[in-house]
Amino acid sequence: MTSNIKTLAQKYPGLVQYRSLGKSPYGRDIWAVKLGRGDATVMYNASHHAREWLTTNIVMEMIDQYSEKYTAKATMDGYNVANVLNNTSIWFIPMT
């Protein structure tokens, strides 16, 4: 996951940013990923419990898909992704 986050930030500079919120009890970083440039803010977090591992994959896929659509100036379900992400910042915590 950490490698994927860094890859996404390199692939989409200025759009995808990340930072550590702190460390887990096992010394691992708890990452927050910011997508978008707007003042309005939304937050999604995933993998609260060990058996919720799939939600991390879903959140990572969301970051990738939104970034790809933004770059391509495409729409998603009728919404202009660039317009949404220029007015909104979405924070993802892929593994709580």
Side-chain angles (χ1 to χ4, degrees):
M1 178 191 70
T2 299
S3 175
N4 289 345
I5 290 170
K6 291 178 180 181
T7 299
L8 287 168
Q10 288 176 345
K11 187 175 179 181
Y12 304 106
L15 180 63
V16 176
Q17 301 170 33
Y18 65 95
R19 69 175 72 153
S20 176
L21 298 176
K23 301 280 187 183
S24 73
Y26 296 105
R28 297 181 185 124
D29 284 304
I30 300 170
W31 295 111
V33 180
K34 180 184 176 195
L35 178 61
R37 300 183 170 125
D39 291 330
T41 305
V42 177
M43 185 188 78
Y44 293 99
N45 55 23
S47 291
H48 292 270
H49 306 100
R51 293 188 180 174
E52 295 173 357
W53 60 269
L54 185 62
T55 58
T56 295
N57 294 354
I58 293 169
V59 164
M60 294 299 294
E61 182 66 17
M62 288 171 67
I63 297 167
D64 189 30
Q65 289 292 314
Y66 292 154
S67 298
E68 185 179 306
K69 299 288 187 193
Y70 181 93
T71 303
K73 298 183 179 4
T75 61
M76 184 178 282
D77 292 329
Y79 291 95
N80 180 313
V81 175
N83 187 43
V84 171
L85 292 178
N86 284 333
N87 293 296
T88 308
S89 291
I90 306 173
W91 283 92
F92 298 90
I93 304 171
M95 194 173 294
T96 304

